[in-house]
Amino acid sequence: MRKTMTAAVMLLSGSILSGASIRGGMVGMPDGSDALRKVADAYAAAMRAGDPAAAAAVFASDATDMPPGSAPVRGRAAIEAYYRGLFAACRFTTFDLAHGESRISGDVGYLVGTSRAAVVPASEAGAAPREETGKYVVVFKRTADGWKAAYAIHNEDGTPSGR
């Protein structure tokens, strides 16, 4: 018994010191977080297209979006209205997400990453796009319709323009 415990402690210590990840579940099995990235990519496509219905479609019906400089927006219908207003105020000439860490455990997952966008305010039509970078955290839940964003918070790096 003592030799077994010593071996287990040495194996665990070696994994920690080598930086190898230790996780439950079946070793070598994907955690499914590619599904979360696909939802995020659909959101980015909606942003580039200026499509409020498509942007809201990635959210669960009872989701909460927490955009910068705004109170939380609750419910898919309110989220769609928020994006309708956003797209009336500006146009995204580019909008890209760089996905970082993601995990799924049961019916819940999360995705963390950064964003890069080029934005032209509607009041400055024809002006050169303004480059913006930011970061985001999205908590997803598995629904009957697949993975949907349940909570999303995102903000810009630096001082937001116009404030």
Side-chain angles (χ1 to χ4, degrees), residues 30-159:
D31 70 359
S33 57
D34 281 347
L36 306 182
R37 291 181 186 97
K38 287 180 183 177
V39 175
D41 290 342
Y43 173 80
M47 295 297 287
R48 288 188 297 270
D51 185 340
V58 304
F59 288 89
S61 61
D62 60 347
T64 300
D65 190 11
M66 296 172 267
S70 176
V73 182
R74 293 183 172 84
R76 189 182 298 138
I79 291 169
E80 183 174 342
Y82 169 81
Y83 283 99
R84 188 172 296 108
L86 177 68
F87 296 143
C90 66
R91 180 176 60 87
F92 291 84
T93 59
T94 63
F95 189 93
D96 298 304
L97 299 175
H99 309 308
E101 183 177 345
S102 63
R103 295 285 184 268
I104 290 175
S105 180
D107 290 336
V108 177
Y110 70 88
L111 180 59
V112 177
T114 59
S115 63
R116 178 172 298 281
V119 184
V120 178
S123 62
E124 299 174 24
R130 183 177 56 246
E131 298 287 326
E132 295 181 355
T133 60
K135 58 262 178 210
Y136 66 90
V137 176
V138 181
V139 177
F140 293 87
K141 66 180 178 180
R142 190 185 324 253
T143 70
D145 297 325
W147 288 100
K148 298 289 182 180
Y151 298 93
I153 187 164
H154 42 99
N155 56 47
E156 300 169 33
D157 295 335
T159 304

